[in-house]
Every structure is written in structure tokens, then in C-alpha cells.
């Protein structure tokens, strides 16, 4: 495996990219969620989304501190991923609070799955960090329960939110694939060529990962009573 | 002093209003600041504003927990103050990141002064809470230093930000006065009539408080090299 510390320079740049995209993902999720919070139907709900946003910010700070500890500039590590992540958010602007809630839930769960998958390939220290971040079940449970009660209150929401969730997943997977290939960090996992080009093996790995993310998402939607 | 626990019902409703306006002020500052953060000139600066926003949210949670502990519904306590606070934000939309930074600084310092003044009139438990919130010097220092360095980098900013800060202060004091009289909570301090109407004494008290807030603000602007 070319990502083992046996190839330290390559592993180092893989880690920088992984932590960079995680950090920027968390920072921008924080900003989008907290802006969306203002449109909540009640002050109580505003505080619920605000609390979730704050958890994202704390995750950003953990990842950023890890980059610092590795002697890397968090800003430089995040910058290459800014266009893709911003593009994702531009293409998925929630029309109302319920769509914000679903967006938060999809981002939260799909990125936790993604991090969990990636953490198989990283050193123990990094794995601890990744687990610390994806294990925040509090936020996920709050979002799930709030979605459930919204769907119970207004059954017409179901078809709209089912479509919306499918679009969110599609955009998320498209961006994740683009990031993976452009920055060759899945290549770093799969043992791509030194010039960073991806080979059949890394394409296979990415396809497998995307299928896994989609299947998990589908299970969660079914659990909410939505067509996954 | 009619706000002493000697008149418990009245003191209770005064506290509910005080904590309600504080809680909503912190919650909405959190949302506005974190939305504004996206327009920061660098990712580092986005994280700086994000950090400040998170501190506001933590203050909201402290105040909200206090309301809960008093057996009061935080949402019901905040609602009467929503129109005034929202109106303040609508009238003071920052045109760019520097104006956001100044707005954060003015809100942070003027509300700390306000809470400090009010805390003379409250019981020890509430005073502890108020002190815990206004004593967050970390956020204030970060904002002050960031403003200083922005002003050093671009001297033309000075006149624009000086005007902007004066407008922010004007709006803040106008809203504070309106809230004080409408909700008669300064009346609660000053010993207004039972029907909630404010008398000369409470008007005097409000005038004194506003003058004190303006004078402190002016000193801080001078320290930044701006015409206060």
C-alpha cells in the first residue's frame, strides 16, 4: 500500500489533502447551516440548527489543529478544495427550513460514512481524529428525530424531501468523485502512478466507495419513510 | 428598589425580560456573524469570525439554560424582543467583511457595557451569569487586533469604518431605548408604576446609561485611531 509510512512523502501529501478537504467541508457546513438557521419555523428550531452548526465548527477546529501539529498551514491545505465544496453548496441551496434540515442530515451522515471508509487507510493518530469527528451521534440523532416529526406533521413533505435528498446525494457523490480524481488522493490510497494519474484500481476503489455511500443513504431514507 | 426580591413577581418578570433579550441578542448575533464570515478575505479570517460566532452561541446556551432553570420557556422569553433585534440587523447590514468585523466589535463591546451596567441591579446568581458572558475578553481582543491590522493595511478604511461605527452605535442605542421603554424593564429597575408606565426617574436612568455606553464606545474608537 503506497499510503503506508513506508512512502512518507506521498503519505504526507495524501494526509494534507484529506485533512484539507475535511477542514474546508466542516467550515463551510458551519457557515451554511448557521445562515440557514435563521429561516427556522421557531426559535427553538433555530437553536437546534445552530447547535449542529457549532459542532461542525468544533470539528473544523480539531482538523485544523491537526494540520498545525503536522507543521502545515490549514489555509493552504483547504484552498484547493474550496471551488468544489462551494460549488456543491451553490447547487444545493435549500428552499426552506425543511430542506436545510435534510441537507444537514445528508451532509452529516454521508460524510461520516466517507470518513469511516477512508479511516481504514490511515495511521492510528489520524484514525482517532477521524473517529472523534464522525462519532458525533448527538447531532445525527437530533436531525433524524426532527425530520421524523416534521414528516409526521405534514405528510406532503415526504415526496418533496425524498426528491431533494436524492439530488443532494447525487451532487455530493459527483463532487466527491471530482475531488478524488483531481487531487489524486484516492490515487494515493490505491497506489496510482507517481505522476498522480489514476489507474484502474483506484477507479474501482472509488466506484466501490460511492456505491457503499449510496446504499447507506438509501437505508437511512427508508428508515425515515421516504423512497430512498 | 422595586427589583429586589422583596417584590418577587415583579423581579421575576424583569429577569425574564432581561434574559430573554440577552438570549435572542446572542442567538441572532451568532447567525449574522457566521453568515457574514463567508465573505472574509481569507480562510483564516473566516475561521476568526466563525470562532467569535461560536462564542455567541455558547452565551446563548448559558442564558437559555438559566431560563430553563427558572422554569421559564426560553422561546417565550425571547419572542417579544425578536422584532427590535431583527430590525437592528436589517438596518445594519454590513457591505463587506470589514464592516462585519466592526459590527461584531461594536455589538460585543456595547453589549458587554450594557450587561455590566445592568448587573448592578440583579441578584448574585444572575450577576455571575452576566459576568461570565461579558468577561469573554478573548473575542474582544481578537476583533480589536484584526481591526487594527486592517486599518494599518489600508488607511482609507478609517473614514468609512468611523462613519459605520457611529451608525451602528446610533442604531444600537435607539433599539436599546425602545426595548427598555416598551418592555418596561428599565421601569422595573427604576421603580416605575405598577401599570408599567415609565416615570421621570427611569427616563433619567436610561439617559445616563446611554450616555455611558456612548462615551465608552467613543474611547474605544479613539484607541483604534478613528474619530469616535
Amino acid at each position: 500500500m503506497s499510503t503506508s509510512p513506508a512512502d512518507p512523502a506521498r503519505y504526507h501529501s495524501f494526509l494534507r489533502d484529506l485533512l484539507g478537504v475535511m477542514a474546508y467541508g466542516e467550515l463551510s457546513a458551519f457557515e451554511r447551516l448557521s445562515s440557514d438557521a435563521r429561516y427556522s419555523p421557531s426559535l427553538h428550531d433555530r437553536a437546534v440548527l445552530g447547535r449542529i452548526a457549532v459542532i461542525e465548527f468544533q470539528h473544523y477546529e480539531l482538523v485544523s489543529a491537526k494540520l498545525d501539529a503536522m507543521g502545515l498551514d490549514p489555509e493552504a491545505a483547504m484552498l484547493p478544495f474550496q471551488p468544489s465544496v462551494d460549488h456543491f453548496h451553490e447547487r444545493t441551496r435549500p428552499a426552506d427550513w425543511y430542506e436545510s434540515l435534510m441537507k444537514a442530515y445528508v451532509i452529516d451522515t454521508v460524510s461520516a460514512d466517507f470518513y469511516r471508509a477512508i479511516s481504514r487507510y490511515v495511521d492510528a493518530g489520524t484514525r482517532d481524529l477521524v473517529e472523534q469527528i464522525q462519532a458525533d451521534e448527538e447531532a445525527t440523532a437530533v436531525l433524524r428525530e426532527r425530520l421524523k416529526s416534521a414528516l409526521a406533521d405534514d405528510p406532503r413533505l415526504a415526496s418533496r424531501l425524498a426528491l431533494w435528498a436524492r439530488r443532494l446525494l447525487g451532487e455530493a457523490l459527483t463532487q466527491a468523485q471530482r475531488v478524488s480524481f483531481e487531487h489524486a488522493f484516492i490515487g494515493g490510497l490505491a497506489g496510482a502512478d507517481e505522476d498522480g494519474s489514476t489507474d484502474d484500481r483506484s477507479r474501482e476503489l472509488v466506484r466501490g466507495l460511492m456505491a457503499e455511500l449510496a446504499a447507506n443513504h438509501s437505508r437511512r431514507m427508508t428508515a425515515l419513510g421516504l423512497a430512498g
Side-chain angles (χ1 to χ4, degrees), chain A:
Chain A
M1 190 101 247
S2 67
T3 52
S4 75
D7 185 352
R10 194 135 182 225
Y11 184 67
H12 192 263
S13 81
F14 158 73
L15 264 196
R16 181 200 59 216
D17 281 357
L18 175 64
L19 298 172
V21 73
M22 283 173 71
Y24 189 69
E26 301 283 358
L27 181 61
S28 60
F30 158 72
E31 292 163 357
R32 301 286 172 151
L33 277 181
S34 47
S35 318
D36 292 349
R38 254 199 291 154
Y39 305 104
S40 305
S42 72
L43 289 178
H44 175 75
D45 283 326
R46 278 168 67 167
V48 167
L49 269 198
R51 176 79 234 143
I52 310 271
V54 166
I55 293 174
E56 308 278 4
F57 191 82
Q58 287 161 343
H59 289 170
Y60 156 76
E61 288 191 314
L62 284 172
V63 180
S64 180
K66 168 83 175 174
L67 283 161
D68 269 332
M70 292 170 64
L72 293 168
D73 174 25
E75 177 151 2
M78 289 191 278
L79 271 176
F81 302 102
Q82 189 171 6
S84 315
V85 175
D86 285 357
H87 189 70
F88 167 77
H89 286 296
E90 288 310 316
R91 289 183 60 91
T92 56
R93 288 172 181 272
D96 64 10
W97 188 74
Y98 299 101
E99 294 192 3
S100 298
L101 202 61
M102 180 58 91
K103 182 171 171 177
Y105 185 60
V106 172
I107 290 181
D108 193 57
T109 52
V110 174
S111 42
D113 281 350
F114 175 75
Y115 297 150
R116 201 175 291 126
I118 292 286
S119 73
R120 296 168 204 152
Y121 304 100
V122 299
D123 62 280
T126 306
R127 192 175 312 122
D128 284 350
L129 173 72
V130 170
E131 274 165 15
Q132 206 177 338
I133 287 176
Q134 56 92 349
D136 206 317
E137 293 296 336
E138 180 205 342
T140 314
V142 167
L143 289 167
R144 188 176 49 235
E145 293 315 308
R146 195 59 192 81
L147 276 169
K148 269 191 192 163
S149 82
L151 289 164
D153 288 350
D154 179 4
R156 286 167 310 169
L157 260 183
S159 59
R160 179 156 69 92
L161 287 188
L163 273 173
W164 172 242
R166 208 171 298 146
R167 214 180 107 205
L168 286 167
L169 182 77
E171 289 292 338
L173 297 187
T174 303
Q175 294 307 317
Q177 273 187 302
R178 186 172 304 167
V179 162
S180 302
F181 290 123
E182 275 174 12
H183 298 281
F185 86 64
I186 294 286
L189 291 180
D193 300 333
E194 282 302 316
D195 65 3
S197 70
T198 49
D199 57 11
D200 289 349
R201 192 173 155 219
S202 59
R203 283 185 194 283
E204 192 59 39
L205 202 142
V206 170
R207 258 195 301 273
L209 177 57
M210 298 299 142
E212 185 185 330
L213 297 180
N216 290 344
H217 171 79
S218 182
R219 259 194 300 279
R220 283 186 298 264
M221 292 302 109
T222 305
L224 282 176
L226 301 181

